[in-house]
Amino acid sequence: MGTIVISGTVVLVVLGFGNHVYWLAAVALLFLYVQYGRGSSSASSSGSGGGSSSAAAPQSYKAYRERRDMQAKWERRYRRERPLESRRQQRERSG
């Protein structure tokens, strides 16, 4: 994918010597590739690691929600099974 974008950019730059609109198209192509192309390809190769691009935002938000819900579940369980320790920790946080 990267070689296609780079070669397309080179073609647009070469054509840009005659028409400056192609220069803008080359810059837009590089911008879109950096914003969406590289981030989504690295996020898909790393699994459900939560990508940094906006194309992967629903997956990363879903993963965030799952982690947050799991953390809340473990915190409730900890408070239920160890009430004295959880009260002590609560006092330390507030004081």
Side-chain angles (χ1 to χ4, degrees), residues 42-65:
S42 65
S44 64
S45 66
S46 66
S48 62
S52 61
S53 69
S54 62
Q59 292 174 351
S60 64
Y61 182 69
K62 183 179 178 183
Y64 159 75
R65 291 283 305 260

Side-chain angles (χ1 to χ4, degrees), residues 20-82:
H20 295 295
V21 173
Y22 289 116
W23 285 87
L24 295 174
V27 170
L29 180 65
L30 284 176
F31 175 77
L32 291 175
Y33 175 68
V34 168
Q35 285 292 316
Y36 302 107
R38 286 188 355 199
S40 63
S41 64
S42 65
S44 64
S45 66
S46 66
S48 62
S52 61
S53 69
S54 62
Q59 292 174 351
S60 64
Y61 182 69
K62 183 179 178 183
Y64 159 75
R65 291 283 305 260
E66 289 173 358
R67 287 192 312 268
R68 188 187 70 176
D69 292 345
M70 186 63 68
Q71 181 69 28
K73 175 184 164 186
W74 281 102
E75 287 176 358
R76 286 191 302 270
R77 181 178 174 185
Y78 182 84
R79 284 193 305 266
R80 184 177 65 243
E81 292 178 355
R82 297 172 182 86

